[in-house]
Amino acid sequence: MTVRALSLPTLLVCAALAASAGPARAQPPSAADDNAGVAATSDERVIRAGDTRLHVIVENAPSRLRADELQRWLAECANAALTAFGRFPLHDAQVRIRLVPRRGRDSSPVPWGQTVREDAVSVLLYVREDAGMAELRGDWTAVHELSHLFHPYLGDDGRWLAEGLASYYQNVLRARAGLLDADEAWRRLDGGFQRGRRVGPGARMDEVGWSRGSTMRIYWAGAAFWLDADVQLRREHGTDLDRVLGRYSQCCLDSDSRLEPQEFIAALDRAGGRGVFARLYRRYAAMTEFPSQDAPYRALGISESDKDTLRFSDDAEAVRLRRAIMGARSTDTAPAKSD
């Protein structure tokens, strides 16, 4: 969910909706939850990648051991984000991890995440206080939120682009970092497309905004746009989404960047998109039905069986293309104590 504050140019991105097929969470954990069981341990460290820094703050860990565990988990997620183009998009950004009690039957290890743009950019992650490391490693929320750092504020009309990019990368980047098996990442991406398709037709994508009941369509039709662009760039122009976003981040992205969707699309084409983004934007923005994945799936050698399972072709070019997108990549970054 994307919310713009009334008094400040704020972007709040709720990652809790992107992969869930169940009821939407309309509110973050309450203030009472935030303050429940607050302990003395607050821990800040900095993850550096070249000239960029990510400040990671664990606000209320009950012990030093727990703070260390949460820092290790976030470092893994940050390393996954770095598999896009080897640096953080902004010179300085912040992640705040806040522990909250389990709420009712909600067992999600990260029940809420949001990315906030005010004077600076920060990611806020609410983590269930008893969530173990295995649960956290299996969760997509942190990588989804970190992916929102790759784009400027796009307003309500560009919500589908913003949420789509984060939903695409939450699977791709985790597969590259070894947090998710590559074939499973393709299955999860396809599962998102299936959920979006079940919503049915609605308003044009560039007009859907906050239309009630359209969340799955916004997130996953948006992800389909970025997959389509990535495949076309790799097949036809010898480049890819990662490189284009990397060039854009170096020339044009800062903490208070705000663009209309068409301006962002034009900037990506100037950064190496070769007109691919503009052509796809014109088509996707006008869609009232969920987009077809037939063309990118043919190129990737992916097909769906009668039992709603994916089959992967062993055609050499299709295998190469799938590996280029989801294949393992190494990063060499570790969290360090803040100076």
Side-chain angles (χ1 to χ4, degrees):
M1 178 171 64
T2 304
V3 180
R4 187 169 176 182
L6 296 178
S7 59
L8 290 170
T10 302
L11 170 65
L12 301 179
V13 183
C14 173
L17 301 175
S20 171
R25 299 180 180 93
Q27 296 292 333
S30 66
D33 286 344
D34 292 351
N35 296 325
V38 174
T41 300
S42 179
D43 185 88
E44 179 174 357
R45 307 185 193 186
V46 176
I47 300 173
R48 294 179 175 86
D51 62 345
T52 62
R53 300 182 300 177
L54 192 67
H55 299 261
V56 183
I57 302 167
V58 178
E59 293 186 347
N60 59 334
S63 68
R64 180 60 57 190
L65 285 176
R66 181 60 164 160
D68 288 344
E69 182 178 61
L70 293 168
Q71 288 283 359
R72 287 197 304 274
W73 164 64
L74 201 285
E76 289 182 356
C77 296
N79 280 335
L82 289 173
T83 64
F85 43 86
R87 64 189 296 277
F88 299 117
L90 302 170
H91 287 290
D92 284 279
Q94 184 184 91
V95 176
R96 303 186 77 88
I97 299 171
R98 187 173 300 170
L99 295 174
V100 295
R102 183 189 293 263
R103 303 180 73 199
R105 291 180 294 176
D106 184 3
S107 61
S108 173
V110 189
W112 183 269
Q114 64 189 37
T115 302
V116 182
R117 296 176 192 270
E118 290 179 352
D119 296 331
V121 178
S122 62
V123 170
L124 177 59
L125 300 169
Y126 288 86
V127 173
R128 201 185 77 230
E129 61 187 7
D130 61 347
M133 192 64 167
E135 289 181 281
L136 292 170
R137 281 178 170 153
D139 190 84
W140 48 267
T141 311
V143 176
H144 178 104
E145 292 301 330
L146 289 170
S147 298
H148 277 303
L149 302 180
F150 297 172
H151 64 79
Y153 176 68
L154 297 172
D156 290 349
D157 291 345
R159 184 178 176 225
W160 65 281
L161 290 172
E163 296 298 350
L165 182 62
S167 298
Y168 177 58
Y169 266 144
Q170 75 186 37
N171 295 291
V172 170
L173 302 183
R174 287 191 300 145
R176 292 175 181 174
L179 300 175
L180 191 63
D181 176 77
D183 286 355
E184 177 62 19
W186 288 115
R187 285 189 284 269
R188 293 194 186 191
L189 190 61
D190 185 72
F193 296 152
Q194 298 296 338
R195 290 193 291 279
R197 191 170 289 112
R198 285 196 292 269
V199 172
R204 289 170 51 111
M205 289 307 302
D206 58 359
E207 296 176 354
V208 69
W210 286 91
S211 176
R212 188 171 182 178
S214 62
T215 298
M216 289 298 114
R217 182 168 167 244
I218 289 168
Y219 279 66
W220 295 106
F225 169 87
W226 296 106
L227 171 64
D228 206 345
D230 204 2
V231 169
Q232 288 195 32
L233 288 168
R234 292 174 187 275
R235 294 188 71 210
E236 300 171 14
H237 299 290
T239 186
D240 52 61
L241 179 60
D242 308 315
R243 293 182 203 179
V244 172
L245 286 172
R247 290 178 187 137
Y248 171 78
S249 75
Q250 289 188 304
C251 77
C252 312
L253 186 63
D254 55 46
S255 60
D256 61 354
S257 291
R258 299 169 58 186
L259 291 178
E260 292 297 316
Q262 298 94 325
E263 293 174 327
F264 180 49
I265 292 298
L268 293 180
D269 277 334
R270 289 194 298 272
R274 311 283 185 88
V276 167
F277 293 99
R279 289 194 298 273
L280 286 176
Y281 180 82
R282 286 192 294 270
R283 179 157 59 89
Y284 276 76
M287 285 183 179
T288 57
E289 301 276 352
F290 196 86
S292 169
Q293 280 72 63
D294 288 350
Y297 273 21
R298 279 196 301 272
L300 291 160
I302 295 175
S303 59
E304 296 177 349
S305 72
D306 294 337
K307 296 181 180 180
D308 292 327
T309 57
L310 293 185
R311 292 180 295 186
F312 300 97
S313 165
D314 59 3
D315 173 79
E317 178 58 21
V319 170
R320 184 200 66 78
L321 187 57
R322 292 199 305 271
R323 287 178 178 170
I325 293 173
M326 295 282 191
R329 301 185 189 183
S330 62
T331 59
D332 188 21
T333 302
K337 286 287 186 181
S338 179
D339 296 336

